[in-house]
Amino acid sequence: MDIDRAGLAEFLRLRREALQPEDVGLPRSLRRRTAGLRREEVAVLSHMSTDYYTRLEQQRGPHPSPEMLAAIAHGLHLSRAERDHLFRLGGHRPTERGASDDHVSPGLLRIIDRLEDTPAEIVTELGETLRQSRLGVALTGDLTRFRGFSRSIGYRWFTDPQTRELYARSDRDHLSRLWVSGLRSVATRRGRGSKAAAMAAELRESSPEFRTLWATHEIGVRPQEIKHFVHPEVGTLELRCQQLVDPEQSHALLVYTADPGTESYERLALLGVVGAAGV
């Protein structure tokens, strides 16, 4: 497919001008005169240089890759239909819709953008973190940096011992059963040729613990009501996890909270300070 530079530039400009800073979790300055978002704000939200994004709006620059277009779609909080249109304007076929789709719905993005003082993340059905709040990064580190099967916390749980250090020892046996049960459920639902099935096959080869648990054929293991995180700077945190599920995308927004008046509540507030200092 050929790139439609004029159409791409116009579409980007119109979607940028239609967004307000508060729509994407950015502060509004008193002297703001720009209609909608500034180009540099879209660039930051899309994790690219301002120059690169500006050239796209000016109908020049390189042919954007699917990865760059996907990043812009997230930055502009595009709907799935808008994202597909952006891909076509950029000269690429839209990715197939399905369980492994990484495109986060605008609704979930709007919610997580407003959770500035709460640990939160958006994950796929395989436990791949697509987006984190600022305090979410402070709690677990940047989980969006992983690639391949390692994007899944369930995969890392059995292949990278360091993954378990963030969780209390008392929770680890249950979490092992939880990840295996969850992966079996997804693999069964998605079928033999799915990413979930391939991940399970690789883990059976590489992890004796996973292989043993897989052989039990346990299904339906539920998360515990309280998760115990062991943070290297603020100590143990007892956090409740609430889920908001987007059934169309098979994504879930996970929000972690502490009971008011508890030590974990105070430590979570301290984590906000620690996280802000690390920015």
Side-chain angles (χ1 to χ4, degrees):
M1 298 179 66
D2 295 328
I3 183 173
D4 179 354
R5 291 193 179 275
L8 176 63
E10 181 181 36
F11 183 68
L12 292 176
R13 178 181 58 79
L14 291 173
R15 288 300 173 269
R16 173 174 61 81
E17 292 178 350
L19 283 175
Q20 299 303 315
E22 52 269 27
D23 295 331
V24 294
L26 295 176
R28 174 182 286 276
S29 63
L30 295 177
R31 298 181 179 179
R32 190 178 191 91
R33 297 179 181 177
T34 305
L37 296 180
R38 300 187 180 99
R39 287 172 175 169
E40 56 265 30
E41 291 172 331
V42 175
V44 169
L45 292 167
S46 304
H47 305 288
M48 63 185 58
S49 71
T50 300
D51 178 66
Y52 184 95
Y53 178 79
T54 298
R55 284 186 290 161
L56 291 179
E57 279 203 15
Q58 294 176 342
Q59 303 184 40
R60 57 192 183 90
H63 189 162
S65 67
E67 292 76 18
M68 296 300 278
L69 293 173
I72 293 172
H74 274 157
L76 289 173
H77 285 36
L78 300 185
S79 68
R80 182 58 204 246
E82 290 171 331
R83 178 186 187 270
D84 289 352
H85 184 61
L86 177 67
F87 266 62
R88 294 187 182 98
L89 291 174
H92 297 284
R93 296 188 183 281
T95 55
E96 293 294 328
R97 303 191 184 202
S100 61
D101 191 353
D102 286 356
H103 184 69
V104 181
S105 70
L108 286 188
L109 287 175
R110 283 193 292 269
I111 295 172
I112 197 170
D113 284 341
R114 285 160 173 75
L115 297 175
E116 183 66 18
D117 60 350
T118 305
E121 60 180 332
I122 297 173
V123 301
T124 70
E125 63 183 2
L126 290 176
E128 303 159 318
T129 300
L130 304 178
R131 190 93 165 211
Q132 292 173 280
S133 66
R134 179 188 64 84
L135 206 54
V137 175
L139 176 64
T140 64
D142 180 7
L143 301 180
T144 65
R145 70 185 189 277
F146 296 101
R147 297 292 180 265
F149 285 156
S150 291
R151 296 178 64 205
S152 165
I153 186 175
Y155 183 85
R156 296 195 306 274
W157 187 262
F158 293 100
T159 59
D160 180 5
Q162 190 174 2
T163 300
R164 305 191 181 200
E165 295 302 314
L166 186 61
Y167 299 86
R169 290 186 180 276
S170 58
D171 288 358
R172 294 178 188 177
D173 287 344
H174 181 269
L175 288 171
S176 293
R177 293 171 49 228
L178 178 69
W179 303 139
V180 175
S181 169
L183 182 56
R184 180 181 287 281
S185 178
V186 176
T188 301
R189 184 166 64 251
R190 300 303 176 191
R192 292 183 177 180
S194 66
K195 182 178 180 180
M199 184 184 297
E202 183 164 322
L203 284 172
R204 289 197 301 273
E205 289 293 324
S206 61
S207 170
E209 180 188 7
F210 180 90
R211 187 162 56 248
T212 298
L213 290 171
W214 185 265
T216 67
H217 214 108
E218 187 175 23
I219 201 74
V221 177
R222 303 297 302 167
Q224 294 175 318
E225 184 178 1
I226 301 292
K227 288 189 175 184
H228 299 85
F229 292 90
V230 183
H231 193 274
E233 294 183 77
V234 302
T236 299
L237 294 155
E238 295 185 356
L239 302 180
R240 299 182 184 274
C241 180
Q242 281 77 39
Q243 288 193 37
L244 176 63
V245 178
D246 180 351
E248 291 189 4
Q249 296 293 103
S250 297
H251 296 163
L253 172 64
L254 308 182
V255 181
Y256 301 95
T257 59
D259 293 338
T262 63
E263 191 172 18
S264 291
Y265 188 86
E266 296 176 358
R267 290 178 176 177
L268 194 56
L270 176 60
L271 182 63
V273 177
V274 172
V279 174

